Amino acid sequence: MPSPHPRPPLSRRGFLAASAGTAAALGLAASPARAAGNRRPFGRYGSPAARRTPRTLYVDPLGRGDHTSVGDAVAAAAGSGWTLVLAPGSYRERVVLDATRTDATWIGASEDPRDVVIVHDTAAGTPKPGGGVHGTTGSATTTLQADGFTARWITFANDWLRADHPDVTGAQAVAVKVQGDRSAFHHCRFLGHQDTLYADSLALTVFARQYYADCYAEGDVDFVFGRATAVYERCHFRTLNRTDLGAAPYGFVFAPSTAGANPLGYLVARSRISSEAPDASYKLARPWVPSSDTTARPSLVVRDTRLDAGIDAVAPYANMSASFPWQDQRFAEYRNSGPGARITVPENRPQLTAVQARSASRAAYLGDWEPWRGEC
């Protein structure tokens, strides 16, 4: 279903500027919630006085809901089947939805993801109070471990910046780490730089299915990565410019780490990859074979997608380690368009046949789970 708000997505840098009070200078139109003066902070989703269901909680930083923080609402919603309705606001906190809180739904009440932002500023190299550093997983603003999670119209962000921390070497800063099976995101944004969207699973032997529809993700290094079986449909991926590097490549859009036993990794379909960086400064992908799973065989199919000029059309793939060359992994394309999709060196751009492409579908990847059905 097309987004009801087709305006160009506000990038993370734009979001930071808007947070400082310059939204008008950026030419941002007010969402229905802002235009109405926030008289109905929970939109069409009820209120504490007119609760949608007994298992619906309302979150509002101004105190008009059941809780003022997402973390407090999650703590109160023990068990399965809870819905959180989030009023417009910036929720500066770190949130963990543990594996016991299954079939949860989080809704941005204004139905514009720019209005509801869960954000923090932790990186892998950020020191922990008790000693050591957080590491990539520990940097996540939001960690979602429970099966059956759904999010609609929410921004997940990590606004840690390299330039502000020249003494920190671990620049991975995850906006959201998703580990549960049957995790779906509709009209959401994922904002960060390195390792923005961590689409993963709870264990090497667990094949977690995830679905992202009409979403926006931006970053620079490996900013969509992990071992989940994930379908990205009608999504927009945007690579950021970098002034700290003198030459390309500036980074990589995808870094799957699919388990060798898992036949299906990432599928990108009917999407777009744009860039604010110079032409050919980004690779489409590189395989991640982590030290914890040296038998991984990263899998990525990009099909029916527009690749703008920021992608290196001559050599769109690169190695993360010479021990695991990308040619030995499961990378393929089909019917892509745009300057970044030009096939100039055929051996550098594996293509699916028409017969193979029939198996590269959301139904084949997600099986009996059909998250595209129902309310969007």
Side-chain angles (χ1 to χ4, degrees):
M1 175 178 175
S3 170
H5 304 283
R7 298 186 297 273
L10 177 64
S11 73
R12 187 175 71 90
R13 290 171 178 174
F15 157 68
L16 292 173
S19 296
T22 59
L26 290 170
L28 299 178
S31 73
R34 287 191 292 260
N38 247 357
R39 289 189 298 270
R40 296 179 59 208
F42 305 109
R44 62 187 177 100
Y45 295 98
S47 68
R51 206 170 294 278
R52 198 180 189 201
T53 71
R55 285 191 168 237
T56 299
L57 294 176
Y58 296 88
V59 188
D60 176 31
L62 299 181
R64 294 166 293 181
D66 300 302
H67 302 278
T68 57
S69 76
V70 180
D72 286 347
V74 168
S80 181
W82 286 88
T83 295
L84 304 187
V85 180
L86 278 58
S90 179
Y91 298 86
R92 180 160 288 276
E93 55 182 304
R94 301 179 69 200
V95 183
V96 176
L97 183 76
D98 68 52
T100 68
R101 289 168 162 78
T102 57
D103 299 313
T105 299
W106 296 1
I107 299 172
S110 71
E111 301 183 25
D112 184 335
R114 297 177 303 174
D115 290 339
V116 177
V117 182
I118 305 173
V119 59
H120 208 265
D121 58 350
T122 302
T126 301
K128 293 196 294 187
V133 296
H134 284 274
T136 300
T137 291
S139 74
T141 296
T142 303
T143 301
L144 303 168
Q145 299 175 327
D147 292 346
F149 175 80
T150 299
R152 302 183 190 278
W153 304 295
I154 295 173
T155 292
F156 299 89
N158 191 320
D159 61 1
W160 187 91
L161 296 173
R162 299 183 189 94
D164 295 341
H165 304 276
D167 55 322
V168 175
T169 56
Q172 300 90 340
V174 177
V176 62
K177 180 170 184 175
V178 188
Q179 296 177 282
D181 184 39
R182 295 178 293 105
S183 298
F185 298 82
H186 302 270
H187 308 291
C188 290
R189 299 190 308 159
F190 308 96
L191 310 183
H193 277 266
Q194 183 168 347
D195 292 6
T196 304
L197 171 53
Y198 196 169
D200 206 50
S201 70
L202 280 172
L204 294 176
T205 56
V206 175
F207 302 160
R209 295 166 296 173
Q210 300 172 15
Y211 180 68
Y212 301 80
D214 304 293
C215 291
Y216 172 85
E218 70 177 24
D220 48 38
V221 178
D222 303 333
F223 65 94
V224 182
F225 72 113
R227 62 172 173 255
T229 293
V231 174
Y232 306 90
E233 192 167 46
R234 299 183 307 275
C235 291
H236 182 182
F237 305 92
R238 185 162 180 82
T239 60
L240 300 176
N241 199 10
R242 297 189 64 175
T243 58
D244 59 319
L245 295 179
Y250 287 4
F252 315 84
V253 181
F254 303 101
S257 58
T258 321
N262 187 355
L264 302 168
Y266 287 179
L267 171 64
V268 180
R270 294 186 290 158
S271 295
R272 180 189 176 191
I273 300 173
S274 67
S275 182
E276 66 175 44
D279 291 358
S281 56
Y282 274 84
K283 304 293 186 182
L284 182 60
R286 63 178 178 174
W288 177 31
V289 180
S291 58
S292 59
D293 182 19
T294 56
T295 64
R297 283 198 65 215
S299 170
L300 168 70
V301 172
V302 180
R303 63 169 301 168
D304 302 297
T305 290
R306 178 176 174 82
L307 312 182
D308 288 351
I311 298 298
D312 181 356
V314 175
Y317 304 104
N319 298 334
M320 189 176 294
S321 166
S323 301
F324 304 101
W326 72 263
Q327 294 90 342
D328 292 346
Q329 313 309 321
R330 296 173 285 180
F331 285 1
E333 301 176 55
Y334 183 70
R335 249 175 15 188
N336 293 324
S337 62
R342 287 195 311 268
I343 302 174
T344 58
V345 183
E347 59 267 31
N348 285 349
R349 305 207 77 143
Q351 302 290 310
L352 297 179
T353 66
V355 172
Q356 290 170 329
R358 291 178 196 145
S359 298
S361 68
R362 63 188 184 184
Y365 273 60
L366 302 180
D368 59 358
W369 178 49
E370 298 180 332
W372 54 87
R373 299 190 184 278
E375 180 186 3
C376 292

